[in-house]
């Protein structure tokens, strides 16, 4: 054993292991997208906004389930229902739009402003791989954001139901697929436009602000126009179309949505959602064709 | 594997009405290749065309034997790229992002993390690998950019102005690393307008000017002028006369003679002329020229390089 340290230059070791190509690269982008939206492997302040919104989404469900358990312990009627599934979706409307805006901007803006797209451009990937992987990340977090509180509500209510857990869940199984379908409608209605705005904005906060503005201010303006007899403007009430469809899916009637007030059927809202999504994707592809 | 890293034929590209590259035909061998030219000469455009980021309007480009137009992903799977501008997310640690960059090249997660650690050690960032890159100096950021270009063990690495913004010490370290890359089995195409960097690190040079290729040849061939420079202690006229009688072309500048012969060894002729005249020699040697001399001279001829 020597009493003096020695430095060994290990030099460069060529990589001779497995190369998965695109089948490894695309899931890597997807996983990175999830980490980016949720603030994992980033400083603490990156976690504050997404997790605050997630907490806001879960909070009513947790309170309700806790209250149900508490009341059941005291022998109160455990079949008490605070929110129906469509009511819970409606309760989260504003939070959902903010979360989608935030998630879309976190997925696309940093890669552009940090110049990271040039790293993707020197990897075995094309534009569609990138967009599809990022879109899959967005879809996962949005659907999770929308469905986890619904599942929590169902399980919580089932746990304290008089007729027993499985019987309660079986009776409410329709709520599960209707919630999943509603989450899909929300995803198609809200995400592509959020992605488009994020593909153009220079800062995540700008993208979030512009998207929220388009949704909230747009609805206010179109509501006024429709009320003054300009029914065609109801087509521009972008955040009302998915809610109108949601009520159709659950056969509920939470309020008279702008397209409904203008006399449009649900299928018109569906067409508007699909057209807006398609146009947004077209512009995103056009934008990224020159970047990747 | 093909012997050429890059082959282009009649390659042209324009940004609207502005022609960036015009009829570029090249065959670049393996090794360390310098891509030089003034700002706006077309260096970065050529690199973007090689990666398939820009679509080539006319002509063909093959990189490592694969056509960029038809087999872009095969090219990208074997290439690393260090851009001139930023490419690193400052809110992440170097280890995280370099590992991710390896995964993007298709390396499995565990192997990617190991490669990231190895390559960050290679570029001298081992100690800083878990720091957020927002805290990095310009030199550290350049090293991190180099690490992402190397992490997947590419066959060819494209470096766009790798010494930009570096202090002298950082520049030395970067050039040392570039010099070592070919020894690792990695060919290098390094774009720079710092000609001394290219002279130091490269064995082949491609000179661009105004979107056209001025030269594409070994650095050693560029520096050889075929002229021998002879400096005497006294009047050079007798030696000059003797050389001209022997068939050499001679130019006299003070006590210096610049000697060039169409064929044969100029040093034998000079030896004979010196013996016959008995002149004393102060200095004798082959005259070489720098990349900068050539660039300024030939760029001036096309009206671009002197800008």
């Amino acid at each position: 054993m020597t009493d003096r340290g020695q430095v060994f230059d290990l030099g460069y070791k060529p990589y001779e292991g497995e190369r998965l190509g695109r089948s490894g690269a695309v899931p890597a982008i997807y996983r990175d997208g999830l980490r980016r939206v949720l603030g994992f492997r980033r400083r603490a302040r990156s976690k504050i906004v997404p997790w605050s919104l997630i907490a806001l989404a879960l909070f009513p469900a947790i309170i309700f389930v806790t209250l149900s358990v508490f009341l059941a312990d005291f022998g109160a009627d455990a079949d008490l229902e605070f929110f129906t599934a469509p009511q819970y979706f409606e309760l989260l409307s504003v939070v959902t739009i903010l979360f989608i805006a935030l998630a879309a901007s976190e997925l696309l803006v940093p890669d552009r402003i940090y110049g990271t797209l040039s790293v993707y451009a020197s990897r075995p990937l094309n534009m569609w791989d990138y967009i599809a992987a990022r879109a899959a990340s967005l879809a996962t977090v949005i659907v999770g954001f929308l469905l986890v509180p619904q599942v929590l509500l169902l399980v919580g209510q089932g746990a304290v139901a008089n007729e027993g857990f499985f019987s309660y869940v079986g009776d409410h199984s329709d709520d599960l697929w209707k919630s999943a379908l509603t989450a899909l409608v929300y995803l198609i209605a809200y995400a592509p436009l959020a992605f488009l705005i994020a593909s153009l904005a220079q800062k995540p906060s700008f993208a979030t602000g512009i998207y929220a503005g388009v949704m909230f201010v747009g609805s206010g303006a179109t509501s006024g126009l429709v009320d003054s007899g300009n029914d065609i403007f109801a087509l521009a009430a972008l955040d009302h179309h998915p809610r109108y469809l949601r009520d159709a899916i659950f056969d509920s009637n939470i309020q008279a949505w702008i397209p409904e007030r203008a006399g449009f059927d649900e299928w018109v809202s569906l067409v508007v959602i699909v057209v807006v999504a398609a146009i947004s994707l077209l512009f995103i592809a056009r934008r990224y064709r020159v970047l990747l | 594997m093909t012997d050429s890293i890059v082959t282009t034929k009649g390659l042209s590209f324009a940004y609207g009405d502005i022609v960036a590259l015009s009829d570029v035909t090249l065959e670049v061998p393996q090794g360390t290749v310098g891509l030089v030219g003034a700002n706006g000469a077309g260096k970065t455009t050529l690199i973007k065309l090689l990666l398939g980021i820009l679509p080539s309007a006319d002509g063909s480009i093959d990189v490592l034997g694969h056509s960029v137009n038809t087999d872009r992903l095969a090219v990208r799977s074997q290439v690393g790229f260090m851009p001139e501008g930023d490419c690193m997310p400052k809110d992440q640690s170097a280890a995280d992002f370099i590992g991710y960059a390896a995964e993007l090249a298709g390396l499995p997660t565990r192997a990617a993390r190991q490669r990231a650690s190895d390559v960050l050690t290679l570029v001298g960032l081992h100690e800083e690998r878990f720091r957020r890159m927002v805290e990095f100096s310009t030199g550290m950021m350049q090293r991190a950019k180099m690490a992402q270009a190397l992490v997947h063990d590419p066959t060819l690495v494209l470096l766009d102005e790798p010494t930009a913004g570096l202090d002298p010490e950082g520049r030395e370290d970067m050039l040392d690393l570039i010099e070592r890359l070919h020894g690792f089995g990695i060919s290098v195409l390094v774009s720079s307008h710092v000609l001394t960097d290219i002279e130091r690190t490269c064995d082949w040079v491609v000179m661009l000017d105004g979107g056209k290729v001025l030269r594409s040849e070994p650095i050693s061939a560029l520096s050889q002028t075929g002229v021998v420079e002879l400096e005497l202690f006294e009047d050079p006229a007798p030696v000059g006369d003797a050389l001209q009688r022997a068939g050499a072309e001679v130019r006299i500048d003070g006590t210096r003679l610049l000697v060039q012969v169409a064929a044969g060894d100029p040093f034998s002729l000079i030896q004979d002329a010196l013996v016959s005249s008995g002149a004393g020699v102060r200095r004798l040697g082959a005259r070489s020229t720098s990349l900068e001399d050539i660039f300024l001279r030939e760029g001036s001829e096309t009206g671009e390089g002197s800008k």
Side-chain angles (χ1 to χ4, degrees):
Chain A
M1 189 169 175
T2 175
D3 58 349
R4 296 181 62 189
Q6 281 185 284
V7 175
F8 295 96
D9 181 3
L10 298 176
Y12 180 82
K13 287 181 282 185
Y15 178 72
E16 287 162 357
E18 189 182 12
R19 287 181 191 266
L20 305 171
R22 289 166 82 186
S23 63
V26 174
I29 301 174
Y30 169 76
R31 291 192 299 271
D32 176 72
L34 298 182
R35 287 195 296 265
R36 186 163 274 288
V37 172
L38 300 175
F40 293 147
R41 295 195 196 170
R42 281 165 181 83
R43 47 178 69 187
R45 71 177 182 202
S46 303
K47 299 175 180 66
I48 293 173
V49 179
W51 284 100
S52 297
L53 293 173
I54 291 168
L56 276 175
L58 291 173
F59 188 67
I62 291 169
I63 291 290
F64 172 64
V65 170
T66 309
L67 207 55
S68 298
V69 171
F70 184 74
L71 291 173
D73 281 349
F74 284 90
D77 180 10
D79 284 342
L80 177 78
E81 194 167 56
F82 275 47
F83 304 107
T84 61
Q87 282 171 335
Y88 204 92
F89 274 114
E90 186 55 30
L91 185 70
L92 298 186
S93 289
V94 173
V95 181
T96 301
I97 286 174
L98 290 176
F99 185 77
I100 291 172
L102 174 90
S105 62
E106 278 299 328
L107 284 169
L108 293 189
V109 180
D111 282 341
R112 247 188 16 265
I113 60 175
Y114 289 133
T116 314
L117 288 177
S118 57
V119 175
Y120 293 98
S122 58
R123 298 296 187 270
L125 294 161
N126 60 37
M127 172 195 71
W128 288 113
D129 294 331
Y130 175 79
I131 292 175
R134 286 301 199 216
S137 304
L138 185 63
T140 303
V141 293
I142 291 174
V143 170
F145 183 87
L146 291 168
L147 288 187
V148 169
Q150 298 283 353
V151 172
L152 189 63
L153 265 182
L154 186 72
V155 171
Q157 282 184 312
V160 295
N162 289 333
E163 69 261 43
F165 178 81
F166 290 106
S167 178
Y168 179 87
V169 170
D171 288 347
H172 290 79
S173 59
D174 274 4
D175 278 357
L176 274 180
W177 73 260
K178 285 178 180 176
S179 294
L181 187 58
T182 300
L184 182 67
V185 169
Y186 274 39
L187 177 70
I188 298 169
Y190 291 134
L193 186 62
F195 239 32
L196 175 62
I197 291 170
S199 75
L200 300 167
Q202 288 303 309
K203 282 187 174 181
S205 54
F206 289 177
T208 306
I210 292 168
Y211 180 72
V214 167
M215 286 296 166
F216 300 137
V217 179
S219 288
T222 51
S223 178
L225 287 164
V226 168
D227 289 344
S228 60
N230 300 295
D231 289 347
I232 193 71
F233 285 97
L235 299 179
L238 298 179
D239 72 321
H240 279 226
H241 294 296
R243 293 148 94 182
Y244 186 26
L245 284 181
R246 177 204 63 212
D247 277 1
I249 291 167
F250 281 100
D251 197 19
S252 61
N253 190 11
I254 288 177
Q255 72 174 68
W257 303 108
I258 295 173
E260 192 179 2
R261 276 157 37 204
F264 290 112
D265 288 336
E266 290 87 347
W267 67 265
V268 178
S269 286
L270 182 62
V271 170
V272 171
I273 287 170
V274 171
V275 168
V276 170
I279 291 172
S280 299
L281 289 175
L282 200 70
F283 277 104
I284 293 166
R286 196 181 158 88
R287 170 94 172 118
Y288 276 82
R289 198 176 54 194
V290 295
L291 295 174
L292 266 173
Chain B
M1 187 165 66
T2 175
D3 288 338
S4 299
I5 53 170
V6 172
T7 307
T8 70
K9 284 182 188 150
L11 182 65
S12 298
F13 187 83
Y15 297 98
D17 294 335
I18 301 165
V19 176
L21 289 175
S22 173
D23 196 24
V24 171
T25 296
L26 280 174
E27 182 144 2
V28 179
Q30 293 176 34
T32 306
V33 178
L35 182 60
V36 302
N39 292 333
K43 305 187 295 292
T44 300
T45 300
L46 180 58
I47 287 177
K48 286 184 174 177
L49 286 164
L50 296 178
L51 285 168
I53 298 173
L54 296 174
S56 60
D58 291 307
S60 66
I61 328 173
D62 287 3
V63 176
L64 301 168
H66 302 284
S67 166
V68 175
N69 293 333
T70 59
D71 205 2
R72 189 172 57 158
L73 296 191
V75 172
R76 288 181 173 190
S77 65
Q78 295 182 63
V79 169
F81 174 43
M82 176 184 175
E84 182 182 4
D86 288 340
C87 68
M88 309 298 279
K90 295 187 176 66
D91 60 344
Q92 282 187 263
S93 72
D96 274 346
F97 184 71
I98 305 297
Y100 175 52
E103 286 188 78
L104 288 177
L107 273 65
T109 304
R110 187 183 294 254
R113 285 190 192 155
Q114 183 59 52
R115 277 293 296 180
S117 177
D118 292 349
V119 173
L120 284 166
T121 302
L122 178 76
V123 300
L125 286 177
H126 185 76
E127 297 289 325
E128 291 83 9
R129 66 192 189 281
F130 296 123
R131 280 172 62 182
R132 309 246 171 239
M133 287 186 280
V134 70
E135 299 166 12
F136 277 15
S137 65
T138 306
M140 289 159 74
M141 195 59 96
Q142 289 294 91
R143 288 162 188 256
K145 283 162 62 178
M146 176 67 100
Q148 69 75 24
L150 297 175
V151 70
H152 52 301
D153 190 24
T155 309
L156 166 67
V157 66
L158 308 172
L159 310 176
D160 195 0
E161 303 285 357
T163 56
L166 295 180
D167 59 22
E169 194 183 345
R171 186 168 157 269
E172 276 301 306
D173 290 344
M174 182 60 74
L175 294 176
D176 280 345
L177 182 58
I178 293 169
E179 281 180 303
R180 293 169 66 195
L181 288 178
H182 191 223
F184 302 155
I186 301 172
S187 287
V188 183
L189 181 68
V190 52
S191 156
S192 179
H193 62 271
V194 184
L195 302 179
T196 50
D197 289 357
I198 298 295
E199 279 177 323
R200 174 174 156 184
T201 54
C202 299
D203 37 43
W204 187 280
V205 66
V206 175
M207 220 181 246
L208 289 178
D209 192 55
K212 292 179 183 295
V213 177
L214 278 184
R215 300 266 192 119
S216 176
E217 55 194 352
I219 288 261
S220 55
L222 273 177
S223 62
Q224 287 167 4
T225 60
V227 175
V228 174
E229 189 172 342
L230 170 64
E231 189 172 355
L232 302 177
F233 283 109
E234 61 251 41
D235 178 17
V239 177
D241 291 342
L243 285 168
Q244 279 174 336
R245 281 197 299 276
E249 189 183 318
V250 180
R251 197 149 51 86
I252 297 177
D253 176 17
T255 56
R256 285 191 313 146
L257 296 101
L258 300 174
V259 184
Q260 192 166 17
V261 294
D265 181 8
F267 288 97
S268 322
L269 290 184
I270 290 168
Q271 184 185 28
D272 293 344
L274 287 171
V275 169
S276 65
S277 65
V281 176
R282 184 190 294 272
R283 195 158 60 90
L284 173 66
R287 192 183 196 205
S288 63
T289 188
S290 70
L291 208 49
E292 192 165 353
D293 294 335
I294 296 165
F295 187 72
L296 288 173
R297 188 174 67 236
E298 300 193 2
S300 300
E301 286 164 11
T302 63
E304 296 289 337
S306 59
K307 282 179 186 173

